[in-house]
Amino acid sequence: MTAKRRGRQAPKAKAKAKAKRKAKAPVKARVTAGAAEPARRPLAFAVKAMKAKVLPGALIGKRVFAGAASDSREVGPGRLFFALVGERVDGFDYCARAAAAGASAVVVNAKRGRPVGCDKVPVIAVRDTRRALGDLARVVRRNFAGKVVGVTGSNGKTTTKELIAAALASAPRALGRARGGPAGSVLRTAGNLNTDVGLPLTVLEASGREAFWVLEMAMRAKGEIAYLADIARPHVGLVTNVAAAHLGRLGSLDAVAEAKGEMFHGLAAGGIAVLPADEPRLDSQVAHLPRARQRRFAGLADGPGRDAAFVRILDLVPAGGEGTTLRLAVGGVPVIVRLPLAGEHNARNAAAALAVAAVLGVPALRAAEGIGRVTLPPHRSRVLQVGGRTVIDDCYNANPASMSAALRTLADSAGASRHSFALLGDMLELGDDARALHTALGREVAARRLAGLAVLGGLGADIGQGARDGGLSADRVLVTDDPDIAAKAIARWSAPGDWILVKASRGMRLDRAIEALVRALGSATAKPARAER
């Protein structure tokens, strides 16, 4: 009797079926904020890419390097050290320390010569160390066979980057192989390495065998996104939104849109632009691209272009401390996402992530499952349980649009049965309108019917005045420079079951306020608890 007649698969058929199942299955735990082992490349490759010279002394010979650093404390054996000149630190002074830590070579400005203590390592001389770092990353990117995603925007860059990485990690094995790397393996920007230094360092930390790179790009001035996009050459470029961030440097929302839109002019050949359906300021930035190379996403609000958007949010149901349940349409396919983040602004970030994943061929249902497993870095919409209160730790950054979204989320999450409070700080880089915008923020706090407000920072008085003008009782408005005093006031006013928002621009270091709340209320527990990948 044959194996087939006995109801069993023959060995070849069994192996074939197993391979088919394996090709369809997602691979777990493949999102990294840096390669486990950066690619090893000859030092001669770096010298050529940077158009550099090797100073007399130790020769490069057959030496190799693996990864790079601009901080001597992060140098390990084989890393390439770039002696950058910063606002407070001169990397040239730390070359000897990098050499002692095992640097494969040090890169210095040619005019400064050989650093003291670097007799046993090659010294590579360049015209500009910062530009040389970018030049090397640019050449490494050209040799990458996978797909690159670029992410920028006024709000939500980091959150959306993490959502995209989680979605792409769910890619089928066959798709990963087609992209030139292991199925669904994703390298994404770690922390705040999203600048003209951080992005190149991220690229140099890659193994080169990943299927996808997700690179976040920050900017403070015109031309910075263009520079980063020229290095990254993204196959998919996303702008999350345009809002009143960096107005002090750029002057207007139109100028912000133009600066963010530089992403779309730096795409790889055939690259796709992903952008909000309700942001007309970006229309001119994608005018050079045919419709087939544009994908738009839309939130709940009706507006021009919403019905034609590639990804649309159809429904949003708040789930308290567990986040949000979303119903979306992705290219006409209905999708449910259980998003472990609160607020419509985070729902829009999820919609953008689904659009990016779809462009790269990840099935919508797979991408939605991946998004449901996302874990965010600290201080970005993270929900904590502190002394029975639910604290939204969103103090990584802030501008008027993100503050408004966070206050709306706070009010919606607390609902009618619980009180909500805010511990806020300054929004930075808003230019001449800063005081008026902070006063308007205080009025919005009152309009959202918060039960109390504590504010820190030089513009805290304006927030407080706006809240009092809007009708919030003066005895529930505290302006102080001390995070402990602010936290104790919120602790005194609130009760178990209440909600607290903590938010300000990063320069305000409102993580101190989170620590103060923990001291005032008790230990903190992250909710939902999700393992880091």
Side-chain angles (χ1 to χ4, degrees), residues 12 22 36 75 82 108-109 158 182 196 208 240 270 298 349 366 399 432 467 480 528:
K12 286 186 177 180
K22 189 175 179 182
V75 173
F82 283 81
V108 302
N109 286 332
T158 299
D196 62 334
T240 59
N349 294 336
R366 283 271 182 84
N399 58 45
D432 294 339
T480 179

Side-chain angles (χ1 to χ4, degrees), residues 10-11 14 50 57 68 163 201 239 251 275 318 330 359-360 387 400 405 414 470 481 484 493 495 498 524-525:
K14 188 175 181 180
M50 296 186 293
L163 293 171
L201 288 176
V239 176
L275 65 157
V330 181
V359 167
L360 293 173
D481 291 325
D484 281 298
W493 296 335
D498 291 342
T525 304

Side-chain angles (χ1 to χ4, degrees), residues 52 80 130 145 212 219 342 461 493:
L80 193 59
R130 193 174 292 257
F212 307 101
M219 53 137 274
W493 296 335

